[in-house]
Amino acid sequence: MLYSHVLVAIDLIDECRAVADHAKALAKALDAKLTLLHVVEPLAMAYGGDVPMDLSMLQQQQFEQARERMALFASEYGLPEDQLQIAFGHPRQEIHRVATDQQCDLIVVGSHGRHGLALLLGSTANDVLHGAPCDVIAVRLAKKKKA
Ligand code: AMP
């Protein structure tokens, strides 16, 4: 079997559906198991750890929203609960950790194909590629047309 366990990392914004659909089709074609992963990022990390307020309620809401959206995917894709993962931390580290723990042999992420300054700022797809415990496929996401 070329790949037996596909891990798709989704950020739960609109375009993640294209990434998840691609991974689902791939897993089906390969007769592989599919696991969905979303990583909730610590709010303190997103705001540089410099926010003079308690973010725990907001963080809790993020988890609840993530659980709801993941449950929708699960019912739509017919996935059991153990094939849904919600992790907490830095996306690259958590994607690598879950891929290793779950013995995944392919990671699927979305890529915006950034150029110039945006590329210098980095992207999760680039991040995930470096030091990945298995092969990685970056699904190219269409650029939004300017109005
Ligand atoms: P970005 O470079 O942040 O635009 O993200 C590109 C891709 O990385 C997304 O399409 C997802 O596949 C993955 N990704 C980014 N953030 C997360 C997250 N919090 N949890 C899981 N996957 C993520």
Side-chain angles (χ1 to χ4, degrees):
M1 209 186 273
L2 190 54
Y3 296 109
S4 58
H5 192 175
V6 178
L7 177 69
V8 58
I10 51 176
D11 52 15
L12 296 180
I13 59 172
D14 288 348
E15 57 195 5
C16 79
R17 175 159 289 279
V19 182
D21 283 351
H22 194 96
K24 183 189 168 200
L26 203 56
K28 190 172 176 217
L30 295 167
D31 198 18
K33 182 175 170 182
L34 177 69
T35 293
L36 258 63
L37 167 67
H38 175 67
V39 183
V40 176
E41 293 178 66
L43 284 172
M45 188 170 93
Y47 291 103
D50 252 1
V51 193
M53 60 191 277
D54 180 9
L55 296 171
S56 54
M57 286 281 286
L58 273 177
Q59 194 86 73
Q60 193 53 38
Q61 279 175 9
Q62 263 194 313
F63 266 103
E64 275 155 28
Q65 276 175 10
R67 270 188 218 107
E68 280 168 23
R69 297 211 51 198
M70 291 291 270
L72 282 179
F73 269 109
S75 67
E76 207 179 303
Y77 287 11
L79 292 178
E81 261 195 38
D82 69 328
Q83 283 167 245
L84 297 181
Q85 298 274 329
I86 299 179
F88 180 67
H90 190 277
R92 172 186 185 269
Q93 277 170 12
E94 290 307 303
I95 292 168
H96 288 179
R97 183 186 62 75
V98 172
T100 304
D101 288 357
Q102 302 283 322
Q103 297 173 317
C104 299
D105 45 14
L106 181 66
I107 296 171
V108 178
V109 289
S111 167
H112 292 98
R114 293 180 171 93
H115 302 281
L117 187 61
L119 184 61
L120 286 178
L121 293 174
S123 74
T124 308
N126 272 335
D127 243 16
V128 169
L129 194 58
H130 294 285
C134 59
D135 290 357
V136 178
I137 285 184
V139 177
R140 196 174 167 91
L141 298 166
K143 283 189 189 127
K144 279 194 183 137
K145 288 197 180 120
K146 286 181 187 153

